[in-house]
């Protein structure tokens, strides 16, 4: 993945994905807080996060150096949201917003073009 961290969450009860999505958002929120509190070489850092939902395929790749990876549209959209994001913010897709809008506070950013 390079310079980013991938977090995957799933619902044990697929009929109610709100809990899983809320947990993933909570991880991103905590990561923002931690990275802001802990300077590196005297400099405060920030990170961007992108969050989407959907089906993925996962697997172990490699023969000598094994690595776990995930693939799919959900991964691609989350990555693009992160790339188009603002430092210190988790940018969510419309799907995540619709799922969590009654339980979480969101700030509208407007339409953001992603590839």
């Amino acid at each position: 993945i390079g310079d980013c961290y991938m977090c995957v969450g799933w619902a044990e009860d697929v009929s109610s994905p709100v809990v899983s999505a809320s947990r993933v958002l909570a991880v991103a929120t905590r990561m923002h807080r931690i990275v802001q509190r802990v300077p590196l070489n005297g400099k405060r850092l920030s990170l961007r996060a992108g969050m989407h939902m959907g089906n993925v395929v996962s697997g172990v790749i490699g023969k000598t150096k094994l690595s776990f990876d995930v693939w799919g549209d959900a991964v691609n959209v989350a990555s693009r949201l992160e790339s188009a994001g603002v430092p210190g913010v988790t940018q969510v897709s419309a799907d995540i917003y619709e799922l969590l809008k009654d339980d979480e506070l969101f700030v509208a950013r407007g339409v953001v073009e992603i590839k």
Side-chain angles (χ1 to χ4, degrees), residues 60-79:
V60 176
I61 57 175
K63 290 186 178 187
T64 57
K65 182 180 178 189
L66 301 178
S67 178
F68 181 77
D69 204 354
V70 291
W71 305 272
D73 287 339
V75 174
N76 296 336
V77 171
S79 175

Side-chain angles (χ1 to χ4, degrees), residues 32 47-51 77-94 97 105-115:
H32 287 298
L47 56 89
R48 297 183 313 246
M51 185 173 167
V77 171
S79 175
R80 291 174 182 151
L81 286 166
E82 178 272 328
S83 294
V86 176
V89 174
T90 299
Q91 183 163 271
V92 302
S93 67
Y97 171 75
L105 177 63
F106 293 97
V107 176
R109 186 167 172 223
V111 176
V112 176
E113 289 290 324
I114 60 173
K115 295 181 184 179

